[in-house]
Amino acid sequence: MKYLNEAFEKKLSEYNGNEKKYSGKLFENLVFMLLKDTFPTFNWKDTPITHDGSKDFYAQKDDRIYWAECKNYKDKISLQIIAPTLVMAQLCNVDEIYFFSRSEINEKVKKKLCYYAHINRKKIRVYDDIALEQFIFNDKKGLELFFKE
């Protein structure tokens, strides 16, 4: 991230004892807000924290199924991390998949995602690192969350 590193640490961290860690749940809350603002006609639903079917949010509209998966990792995202979502999306006939990641998704992985989308006739959108920042900057509530002070 170029601009929001400190803001992410401040707004999306929790203490686990004496240790400060990025919170996956707080990150998911941010993404949920962004999804609802960006796609107001969709009825986004969240999934349980465990046994979520490799998705964090889902919606159905006009006979199309949409999934969103969040990755709040410090290091680059590898194919091994997102492969379960791709497998489950194939099994569940998902039409569009949105990946949201605080860190960068590896360039080789992005190329493989394009190939996967092409051969399976799916749409995949990736909002990682700086692309995620831009997504947040384009959302009024996202801006207020990070730049209220």
Side-chain angles (χ1 to χ4, degrees):
M1 296 203 131
K2 189 173 181 177
Y3 302 105
L4 293 178
N5 266 334
E6 286 182 38
F8 258 63
E9 186 173 339
K10 184 177 178 182
K11 299 282 186 180
L12 302 176
S13 294
E14 294 180 322
Y15 281 95
N16 187 0
N18 289 337
E19 191 177 358
K20 191 175 187 179
K21 289 186 171 187
Y22 282 104
S23 167
K25 188 61 185 162
L26 291 175
F27 183 66
E28 287 180 15
N29 292 343
L30 167 67
V31 170
F32 194 44
M33 178 194 72
L34 294 170
L35 285 169
K36 290 191 296 185
D37 288 351
T38 305
F39 306 100
T41 61
F42 288 35
N43 184 19
W44 288 101
K45 297 181 174 103
D46 58 350
T47 61
I49 291 175
T50 58
H51 306 294
D52 63 4
S54 298
K55 64 189 172 299
D56 293 308
F57 308 103
Y58 63 96
Q60 187 169 353
K61 183 173 174 86
D62 301 329
D63 297 326
R64 295 183 58 81
I65 301 171
Y66 302 84
W67 279 12
E69 176 68 2
C70 304
K71 298 297 178 193
N72 190 22
Y73 291 26
K74 180 180 175 183
D75 298 323
K76 283 187 177 182
I77 302 296
S78 68
L79 186 59
Q80 182 179 357
I81 300 295
I82 60 175
T85 301
L86 300 175
V87 170
M88 293 304 294
Q90 189 66 25
L91 293 173
C92 296
N93 295 314
V94 174
D95 298 292
E96 291 192 34
I97 308 165
Y98 301 89
F99 287 102
F100 292 88
S101 175
R102 175 173 64 96
S103 61
E104 185 181 348
I105 293 179
N106 186 313
E107 280 303 313
K108 289 181 182 179
V109 173
K110 288 180 183 176
K111 288 179 183 175
K112 290 178 180 175
L113 287 173
C114 289
Y115 180 68
Y116 171 90
H118 176 73
I119 63 171
N120 292 293
R121 296 191 173 120
K122 296 185 184 310
K123 286 187 181 178
I124 296 179
R125 299 177 196 271
V126 174
Y127 300 99
D128 67 330
D129 193 34
I130 294 173
L132 177 61
E133 282 185 325
Q134 291 303 313
F135 197 76
I136 292 168
F137 292 150
N138 288 328
D139 183 82
K140 185 179 178 193
K141 288 182 186 172
L143 280 173
E144 288 175 0
L145 176 68
F146 287 105
F147 298 106
K148 199 182 256 185
E149 292 121 23

